[in-house]
Amino acid sequence: MKEIFIDLKERSYKIQIDRGILFEIGKKLQEIGNYNKVVIITDKNVGSFYLKDLEETLLKENYLVYSVEIEAGEKSKNLNEAEKIYNKLIEFKITRGDLIITLGGGVVGDLGGFVASTFLRGIDFIQVPTSLLSQIDSSIGGKVAVDLASGKNMVGSFYQPKAVFIDPNLLNTLPTLYLHDGLGEAIKCSCIRDKNLFELFEKIKDDKEILERSEDIIEACCMVKKKVVENDEFDKGERMILNFGHTIGHSIEKNYHYETYTHGQCVSIGMCKITKASEKLGITEEGSFEKIKKVLEKFSLPTDDVLDKKIILDGISTDKKNFGTKINLIVLNKIGDGKILKIDSSDLEKYI
């Protein structure tokens, strides 16, 4: 088992990565808190594979177990869905001494974490991420949120889980599209902070090898996020480095109403667009764009899109990384070495 300690003082917790850990969660909860009722929030796709297994490991340890299943997909990550879950928690008579477990990908983790952070002004929750994207990114660091019609993750908070349990075996049932979706974020991690991980992606031949090396990939990405989050829990400075590819990517997602591309695909396009531009501007080491493009294309990730620049710029105007007339862009000095670049909003077009 691989174990990573996220050191945030009184909000500290462990990430445990182990094949088969799903079936040990009931026992592991006893090390975290004295809970009576446990509510599992999942989606119908993930629930069909793993809800029964998680319920059984909890029932074996005599927890009272309830579950809420939402429709799969980004469209469920909204305030209306959150209200439905609140009403279920009231129906189950959940108190601040009880626990929520989010079993699923980023949508379930973000929505379930947001509910946990706001119901009764906050109850404990644990992340059990089931997609590669959530295992390496969204389940770690305490960002929980829901979307508004005007943009993604516009309403949320920072609320750390009590633990994160990552079972790489759950990736075996993940559709290829969503395995590659997660690789978009994994490759991002390597670009900003881990050249060795990037070189591993250059050597890996196919999806079979990705699954075989998944524990190492997950650990490396979690280590990148650990260091950044510990230094900047509330996203005021260094943590923005994790947004490489996201400023453009979020705008593309929004303009396609979160339907045409997955999140990782949009990040992939965003990384390529900004690196191609920053290389031309002399900011990024020559050849970086082609190396990144080659790795992304190996895993069937898109590297460009036909959206007009003006449309992308309009989408960026509501981005959370804006500060008045300034905007923070993440660019690379070279692969493995990212930095935050504060520019005037009027200069943004140069980077798209």
Side-chain angles (χ1 to χ4, degrees):
M1 182 178 73
K2 299 177 185 292
E3 188 171 280
I4 298 170
F5 182 69
I6 308 295
D7 188 0
L8 297 171
K9 298 179 180 176
E10 70 274 9
R11 295 177 301 282
S12 298
Y13 57 94
K14 293 177 183 177
I15 302 168
Q16 295 184 19
I17 308 165
D18 198 14
R19 296 186 185 276
I21 200 171
L22 178 70
F23 302 94
E24 302 296 322
I25 290 175
K27 291 179 182 177
K28 289 183 176 292
L29 285 192
Q30 297 168 21
E31 303 167 12
I32 297 166
N34 184 25
Y35 305 110
N36 181 34
K37 295 179 181 178
V38 179
V39 179
I40 302 165
I41 299 175
T42 190
D43 68 48
K44 291 179 180 178
N45 288 351
V46 172
S48 67
F49 286 105
Y50 302 117
L51 179 57
K52 185 178 178 181
D53 291 330
L54 181 54
E55 286 175 335
E56 286 181 357
T57 183
L58 296 169
L59 289 167
K60 281 180 185 176
E61 303 303 322
N62 298 315
Y63 292 104
L64 294 175
V65 182
Y66 304 87
S67 63
V68 180
E69 291 185 80
I70 64 170
E71 295 295 332
E74 190 76 28
K75 287 186 175 181
S76 289
K77 205 173 89 173
N78 57 63
L79 289 168
N80 288 336
E81 201 66 40
E83 184 176 7
K84 292 177 188 176
I85 298 173
Y86 294 143
N87 288 330
K88 282 289 186 182
L89 298 180
I90 292 168
E91 180 185 322
F92 301 150
K93 295 182 171 55
I94 298 304
T95 72
R96 292 185 71 185
D98 297 318
L99 177 74
I100 286 175
I101 296 180
T102 59
L103 173 70
V107 169
V108 168
D110 282 3
L111 174 62
F114 177 78
V115 166
S117 74
T118 49
F119 186 71
L120 301 178
R121 297 192 175 92
I123 67 173
D124 288 356
F125 88 111
I126 283 169
Q127 294 264 24
V128 183
T130 60
S131 67
L132 181 58
L133 180 59
S134 59
Q135 289 179 348
I136 64 170
D137 183 47
S138 59
S139 67
I140 305 152
K143 279 189 177 181
V144 296
V146 293
D147 303 336
L148 298 181
S150 57
K152 188 172 180 178
N153 298 327
M154 295 298 285
V155 178
S157 58
F158 293 91
Y159 194 70
Q160 301 296 341
K162 291 298 178 182
V164 180
F165 297 120
I166 299 176
D167 189 339
N169 285 345
L170 306 190
L171 300 179
N172 294 333
T173 56
L174 195 65
T176 300
L177 172 67
Y178 293 104
L179 179 66
H180 293 168
D181 175 46
L183 286 174
E185 281 284 355
I187 293 164
K188 175 213 75 177
C189 283
S190 71
C191 286
I192 58 171
R193 282 290 185 267
D194 193 336
K195 185 181 178 183
N196 290 334
L197 179 59
F198 187 85
E199 290 172 350
L200 175 63
F201 285 128
E202 288 183 304
K203 293 173 187 173
I204 286 176
K205 298 182 181 67
D206 52 28
D207 293 347
K208 181 174 180 290
E209 204 170 338
I210 288 288
L211 292 173
E212 289 170 353
R213 300 296 300 271
S214 60
E215 284 176 274
D216 295 331
I217 292 167
I218 293 165
E219 181 184 31
C221 291
C222 288
M223 285 301 298
V224 169
K225 193 151 190 183
K226 163 191 163 66
K227 292 171 186 174
V228 173
V229 168
E230 286 178 346
N231 289 337
D232 180 23
E233 181 181 359
F234 298 109
D235 207 5
K236 299 293 187 182
E238 183 186 351
R239 187 165 176 170
M240 293 179 191
I241 201 78
L242 297 169
N243 290 318
F244 179 51
H246 285 60
T247 300
I248 295 171
H250 279 167
S251 180
I252 292 170
E253 277 187 292
K254 179 184 171 185
N255 276 289
Y256 284 112
H257 307 290
Y258 307 102
E259 293 175 349
T260 302
Y261 295 112
T262 67
H263 175 70
Q265 288 175 331
C266 288
V267 170
S268 175
I269 295 169
M271 288 190 290
C272 284
K273 280 185 176 293
I274 201 162
T275 303
K276 187 176 183 179
S278 63
E279 202 173 304
K280 284 182 179 178
L281 291 166
I283 297 167
T284 302
E285 183 178 73
E286 190 175 341
S288 300
F289 165 69
E290 286 298 336
K291 284 183 178 180
I292 293 168
K293 183 172 182 280
K294 185 176 180 181
V295 167
L296 292 167
E297 288 179 340
K298 178 165 60 172
F299 299 109
S300 305
L301 286 161
T303 56
D304 203 1
D305 182 77
V306 296
L307 271 181
D308 186 83
K309 275 189 179 184
K310 185 178 184 305
I311 294 174
I312 296 175
L313 286 167
D314 287 345
I316 291 172
S317 66
T318 57
D319 195 282
K320 300 182 296 301
K321 292 170 283 298
N322 292 345
F323 290 88
T325 60
K326 299 285 186 179
I327 186 167
N328 290 312
L329 285 183
I330 313 307
V331 296
L332 304 181
N333 290 317
K334 57 185 178 180
I335 291 171
D337 182 15
K339 68 178 180 180
I340 301 166
L341 187 67
K342 189 179 283 276
I343 66 165
D344 289 324
S345 298
S346 58
D347 291 331
L348 181 59
E349 189 172 354
K350 298 176 186 176
Y351 294 86
I352 297 175

